[in-house]
Amino acid sequence: MALLLWVAGALAFAAGMPQLGWAIWAVVLINGLFSFWQEYQAERTLAVLRQALPRRVRVWRDGQLLELTAEVLVPGDRIALEEGDQVPADARLIDANALSLDLAVLTGESLPVARHARPIPLSRAILPMREQANLVLAGTTVASGRAEALVYATGAETEFGHVAGLTAATERGASSLERQVGRIVRTISTIAVSMGVLSFLLSWLFVGIGPLESLVFAVGILVANVPEGLLPTVTLALAISVRRMAGQRALVRRLSAVETLGSVSVICSDKTGTLTCNRMEVQATWLPEPGTGLDAGLLEQACLCSNAHLERGRGGLRAIGDPTEAALLMAALERELDPTTLQQRYPRRRELPFDSHRRRMSVVVESAEGTLLAITKGAPVDVIEHCSTQVGANGPVPLNGPLRQRALGANDDLAAQGYRVLAVARRPVEAHRLEARAEELERGLELVGLLALYDPPRPEVPDAIRQCHQAGIRVTMVTGDYGLTAQAIAQQFGLLDPPTGTAAQSREAMAADPVRVIEGPQLDRLSEVQLRQLLKYRHRLVFARMAPEQKLRLVQAYRALGEVVAVTGDGVNDAPALRAADVGLAMGQVGTDVAREAADIVLLDDNFATIVSAVRYGRSVVANISKFLTYILASNVPEIVPFLAMVAWRIPAALTVLQILAVDLGTDLVPALALGAEPPEPGAMRQRPRRRDQPLLNRPLLLRAYLVLGLVEAALAMAAYLLAWRAQGVSWAELQALAPQLLHGTATPFDRAMQHRASAATFTTIVLAQVGVLMACRSESRPALQGVGLGWMRTNPLLLVGIGSELLITAGLITVAPLAAVLELAPFPVAWLGWMLPVPLLVVLVDDARKRWDSAAATRA
């Protein structure tokens, strides 16, 4: 569109009107500066918002393990790393437990690489830093395990910093919104050029107007068709939405995701922390032989197989670490057990970190007598499968068939109540088997008992899920929990039908309808065709015991069906699904660095209700773009019609090109920006999701802008122009006689003054009509006069600013002599306002009648 205006300016110079040419080119400059300012403000907004979520690292300072921002690291710091962490600096390992790194950012390797803390032989010291197995490098990610390391390089001195300094910038692909705006620009440009060329040829070849006058006419048509304020308004609408979403605790990392949210049709949500409060508490325990006094022993061994630790704060002791493990420590404190003393009494000699495929964690601890004990904690089904005995009052008892089924039944009963259940098992270890493989170390275990933890559902989630269903958005819960636990929680949220009967009946119902709650092994048995059929025809689904690749497969299957998918996640295992989704939503509080980097939006409060709020704003962005498109395009018709009337009726043009520019970039711009700042409409979440390929500039929008609002404006503007001449005592024939003189500049000053007053009346009428269009465009379906009141001033005070600004600008352009002289306007009698002031109401009434007609037609259909 800027190119069109450059061409129009050149044509004005060719037509011998340098003032007009400079004015059009000034518009290009002003538009460019405004767009630059808005994009600059948007970038500043994103920069400020990014600072709200600094990357955190765990570092030892003054003998304490603290959580600080990555920027404070210096060489010599001792840092702690866990699965999912992004390594913040280059460091030498001093302790490592089953550590493996994802080095893809540096080497492109897709598989994790093992790392250890042992010294490197001198013969291998010449290897590149990234290949030395006792180093961890900045930018890489901990794929599994835990470690501590000493920092030796930070920032630009790291290997990653060296690579970054050599990396050339890569242009990103166009987003969906950018492609949509590009399509709008091409459509409007085609209309503008076609009408300009056609008008020039018709006026010159068929109407008999000279080539110079025809060129001026074509320039006017071209300029009138270009909505100069479109691009800065789109930019501002996105910037405002980003700020609003930040206020709702959703940090947007990629601007294009705001528009994509408006089309989301499926949300694959994690459970823990997103649908629940992430506030685990131990609610119950189960022992193989109740009353044997083993309850305390169960908690003791669960605390030993934990990486959480206690920290004293202002409110007393609190547990720091994974919420599940923190709950175990707090439960031990309530039983007057001291986890810190316990961990010191039984130092850890080896750790097998939790793995999403093994679904368990194991440690080897040493007693004061020097004996070694392996303790395993994890998913009950997987742990019990590796148990051969269970604890008893007089020693281990063989875990035969009935006892094994009894333990599994206890797990099912607790899970059916919505508890997250952990099993704890143990076995003695000989010193020579300390470094044995995990399969050997976790074989022949003795079942100690079960721990039932409860994470209360967030109270606002059921209403948020109900809003999603109303909005045509499917919510699918994807969790690593046991199937019965997932089913019970889903029933509490309203994702599945409410529970009926006992736990045994819940198991029977789950077995009778296995396609409501699908566990990972079941998913693996489904072919791609079967999975797509399932997702297509089953709208309420829960996926349990899901591995990372299964979650990724689920997202890809939904997208293959044409769905627009949003995915939540917090761990490194969620990163593939977050990247594959149309919109990735990472957890800001408990999420890992790699999950945040893979996501488009970060939820600062880890709350599912925030996703629904973000979707509302995503839909409002699309709706607001349609609103100000309608507003901007509607004024094009009354700007074009005066030139068509000049050719068809042989009368003076009611507007000049400079006056058109004054409407587009003077009076129209602030109201259009106000429409871009409109809050979501009340019914935004009761509509179906917008299709991925649905254009913003569609047929209903063009028909409403050009054939309804535009034609009404044009009729009222031309009526005002002709009434102004009639009020000055000029008849139709006299007006036609004046046209050639005004066009060639031979008219008397008195005649020119009358033309300026008539143009001012036309200009004012268009501005007042645009006030009516502004109010009509606030909603595509709700009548503007419905529930008339001052509520709109509270929801969007920018509308009042927009109306006030366009009226003040209009008054200034007409009454301030230097401005009026440049624009060829002149003050008109105040009495003329009597037939201009009803114009906004007339426009609103016509559009309200159209809305009611469309509503009635939709009802009949």
Side-chain angles (χ1 to χ4, degrees):
M1 287 192 280
L3 291 176
L4 284 180
L5 293 178
W6 281 113
V7 172
L11 291 176
F13 279 105
M17 303 175 67
Q19 299 90 342
L20 177 59
W22 287 118
I24 294 174
W25 285 355
V27 168
V28 179
L29 178 62
I30 293 169
N31 199 12
L33 290 174
F34 190 86
S35 294
F36 165 78
W37 176 249
Q38 289 304 328
E39 290 187 17
Y40 173 70
Q41 290 284 32
E43 289 298 323
R44 283 190 60 191
T45 300
L46 285 177
V48 170
L49 293 176
R50 287 191 191 104
Q51 292 174 8
L53 195 66
R55 192 154 58 88
R56 313 289 291 181
V57 296
R58 289 177 297 283
V59 57
W60 288 92
R61 293 279 174 90
D62 300 324
Q64 290 187 326
L65 184 61
L66 306 176
E67 191 174 82
L68 304 173
T69 59
E71 287 76 12
V72 304
L73 281 182
V74 294
D77 272 335
R78 177 181 163 202
I79 58 174
L81 300 170
E82 292 185 359
E83 179 179 336
D85 287 349
Q86 191 176 75
V87 180
D90 287 359
R92 164 71 163 84
L93 288 168
I94 57 176
D95 183 38
N97 290 308
L99 182 69
S100 62
L101 292 184
D102 180 354
L103 300 177
V105 69
L106 289 177
T107 65
E109 293 182 62
S110 58
L111 296 176
V113 177
R115 286 290 186 260
H116 58 74
R118 299 187 296 275
I120 298 294
L122 187 62
S123 59
R124 297 182 60 84
I126 59 173
L127 290 174
M129 292 290 189
R130 66 192 66 179
E131 295 183 23
Q132 296 195 19
N134 61 356
L135 300 182
V136 290
L137 303 179
T140 61
T141 303
V142 179
S144 63
R146 299 170 63 246
E148 289 193 356
L150 287 177
V151 173
Y152 66 83
T154 62
E157 300 303 316
T158 64
E159 288 292 303
F160 187 86
H162 295 159
V163 173
L166 300 174
T167 303
T170 303
E171 288 191 16
R172 62 180 177 85
S175 69
S176 172
L177 181 60
E178 289 167 336
R179 289 193 294 270
Q180 290 275 9
V181 172
R183 186 183 303 172
I184 292 170
V185 170
R186 287 191 296 273
T187 302
I188 293 176
S189 300
T190 302
I191 293 172
V193 171
S194 301
M195 290 189 67
V197 172
L198 185 63
S199 302
F200 175 77
L201 294 175
L202 287 176
S203 57
W204 182 27
L205 299 177
F206 297 100
V207 181
I209 299 177
L212 186 62
E213 292 84 356
S214 297
L215 188 58
V216 173
F217 172 45
V219 170
I221 292 292
L222 187 65
V223 172
N225 271 291
V226 176
E228 291 82 5
L230 174 62
L231 298 185
T233 310
V234 171
T235 308
L236 183 65
L238 287 174
I240 289 174
S241 293
V242 167
R243 290 186 183 182
R244 283 178 172 166
M245 289 171 67
Q248 297 293 322
R249 311 297 292 161
L251 171 63
V252 178
R253 298 187 65 251
R254 294 179 179 84
L255 274 178
S256 59
V258 178
E259 183 263 346
T260 308
L261 274 173
S263 302
V264 166
S265 57
V266 173
I267 299 176
C268 293
S269 176
D270 219 347
K271 177 184 72 70
T272 304
T274 309
L275 298 174
T276 61
C277 295
N278 201 25
R279 197 169 59 241
M280 285 284 187
E281 294 179 358
V282 176
Q283 295 286 329
T285 59
W286 178 87
L287 297 170
E289 291 191 16
T292 57
L294 294 174
D295 194 39
L298 173 62
L299 280 172
E300 284 182 358
Q301 290 169 44
C303 290
L304 289 173
C305 189
S306 167
N307 290 321
H309 66 278
L310 295 175
E311 184 177 281
R312 187 172 296 279
R314 292 181 180 178
L317 281 175
R318 62 191 183 101
I320 304 299
D322 178 80
T324 301
E325 297 186 340
L328 300 177
L329 267 60
M330 298 308 293
L333 281 177
E334 292 176 3
R335 303 289 178 89
E336 298 183 352
L337 299 172
D338 186 352
T340 303
T341 303
L342 195 64
Q343 291 169 351
Q344 291 171 353
R345 190 188 309 161
Y346 294 92
R348 186 176 297 183
R349 292 293 174 251
R350 187 184 176 190
E351 176 186 343
L352 296 173
F354 177 83
D355 182 270
S356 57
H357 295 278
R358 288 168 45 244
R359 302 182 192 279
R360 55 191 179 273
M361 166 190 180
S362 295
V363 297
V364 178
V365 298
E366 183 179 357
S367 69
E369 294 77 22
T371 58
L372 300 178
L373 181 69
I375 304 172
T376 298
K377 170 176 92 322
V381 173
D382 297 277
V383 172
I384 293 172
E385 182 183 343
H386 288 74
C387 291
S388 58
T389 61
Q390 67 179 28
V391 296
N394 300 313
V397 176
L399 193 63
N400 56 28
L403 291 180
R404 187 179 299 273
Q405 289 304 316
R406 178 170 167 265
L408 292 172
N411 170 53
D412 289 350
D413 290 338
L414 292 169
Q417 298 174 58
Y419 293 132
R420 182 178 186 185
V421 187
L422 292 177
V424 179
R426 67 189 182 189
R427 60 160 293 182
V429 177
E430 298 83 3
H432 68 275
R433 298 187 60 192
L434 180 61
E435 297 299 326
R437 292 183 305 169
E439 294 83 359
E440 297 179 16
L441 207 61
E442 296 174 341
R443 186 186 304 153
L445 297 171
E446 178 185 17
L447 179 64
V448 179
L450 304 178
L451 290 160
L453 298 97
Y454 186 64
D455 186 6
R458 291 183 182 269
E460 63 274 18
V461 166
D463 184 61
I465 290 176
R466 181 184 54 78
Q467 290 183 49
C468 286
H469 291 160
Q470 287 181 346
I473 300 173
R474 298 165 59 182
V475 181
T476 300
M477 190 170 84
V478 185
T479 178
D481 276 348
Y482 188 51
L484 281 173
T485 303
Q487 177 179 265
I489 294 294
Q491 288 169 337
Q492 294 178 34
F493 292 140
L495 281 175
L496 296 178
D497 297 332
T500 56
T502 64
Q505 289 172 327
S506 294
R507 285 195 299 272
E508 291 172 5
M510 184 171 158
D513 189 6
V515 295
R516 294 169 70 236
V517 180
I518 301 169
E519 296 189 339
Q522 292 174 268
L523 182 66
D524 286 337
R525 291 194 292 269
L526 296 177
S527 68
E528 292 299 324
V529 173
Q530 290 172 324
L531 178 58
R532 291 179 192 176
Q533 290 291 317
L534 173 68
L535 299 181
K536 184 175 181 180
Y537 295 108
R538 285 278 184 161
H539 286 197
R540 294 196 175 193
L541 292 169
V542 171
F543 291 86
R545 302 184 70 192
M546 294 286 282
E549 60 271 15
Q550 293 167 336
K551 189 171 183 178
L552 173 62
R553 183 188 174 200
L554 181 64
V555 172
Q556 292 171 335
Y558 269 125
R559 295 197 70 206
L561 291 172
E563 305 284 1
V564 179
V565 185
V567 173
T568 70
D570 56 6
V572 64
N573 57 323
D574 295 317
L578 290 171
R579 288 195 185 99
D582 294 284
V583 182
L585 301 136
M587 302 298 106
Q589 294 182 349
V590 300
T592 59
D593 292 331
V594 69
R596 294 173 187 170
E597 288 299 318
D600 303 297
I601 295 173
V602 178
L603 304 180
L604 301 181
D605 57 1
D606 296 3
N607 194 339
F608 181 85
T610 303
I611 302 175
V612 180
S613 178
V615 170
R616 286 181 67 242
Y617 282 109
R619 291 189 173 191
S620 73
V621 166
V622 177
N624 289 349
I625 293 174
S626 297
K627 289 172 186 177
F628 63 67
L629 268 176
T630 305
Y631 176 82
I632 289 170
L633 295 179
S635 64
N636 287 357
V637 179
E639 293 169 352
I640 295 169
V641 166
F643 293 95
L644 298 177
M646 178 186 75
V647 174
W649 296 341
R650 303 298 183 89
I651 60 174
L655 294 174
T656 66
V657 176
L658 283 177
Q659 291 164 7
I660 291 172
L661 294 177
V663 171
D664 289 347
L665 280 174
T667 62
D668 265 4
L669 194 55
V670 178
L673 296 178
L675 281 176
E678 275 283 276
E681 289 191 46
M685 294 299 287
R686 288 195 294 271
Q687 301 172 4
R688 301 289 302 172
R690 179 173 164 270
R691 296 195 317 276
R692 188 195 299 266
D693 57 348
Q694 183 177 338
L696 287 171
L697 192 65
N698 51 30
R699 183 177 298 176
L701 188 150
L702 288 172
L703 291 176
R704 184 187 181 196
Y706 286 142
L707 298 185
V708 179
L709 296 172
L711 284 182
V712 171
E713 275 198 71
L716 293 171
M718 289 306 300
Y721 180 68
L722 297 177
L723 283 173
W725 280 110
R726 174 65 65 183
Q728 294 177 102
V730 178
S731 65
W732 179 261
E734 291 170 333
L735 181 61
Q736 288 180 315
L738 276 174
Q741 300 172 35
L742 291 169
L743 183 62
H744 294 291
T746 59
T748 64
F750 180 76
D751 291 337
R752 286 200 300 273
M754 286 195 295
Q755 166 68 5
H756 294 171
R757 283 192 290 272
S759 291
T762 309
F763 186 90
T764 304
T765 302
I766 291 176
V767 171
L768 290 172
Q770 283 293 92
V771 172
V773 172
L774 181 72
M775 301 309 297
C777 285
R778 293 198 70 204
S779 174
E780 294 182 8
S781 57
R782 193 174 67 251
L785 295 179
Q786 189 179 72
V788 175
L790 298 180
W792 59 272
M793 292 175 59
R794 291 192 298 271
T795 58
N796 189 4
L798 274 177
L799 284 174
L800 186 62
V801 175
I803 293 173
S805 69
E806 63 182 340
L807 295 179
L808 286 175
I809 291 172
T810 301
L813 294 177
I814 293 174
T815 58
V816 178
L819 293 175
V822 172
L823 293 175
E824 299 181 9
L825 298 172
F828 51 79
V830 176
W832 291 8
L833 289 174
W835 36 269
M836 294 182 197
L837 291 178
V839 164
L841 181 60
L842 291 173
V843 173
V844 167
L845 287 173
V846 171
D847 192 65
D848 279 5
R850 179 202 63 83
K851 289 175 181 175
R852 289 190 174 90
W853 173 273
D854 289 348
S855 177
T859 302
R860 289 193 300 270

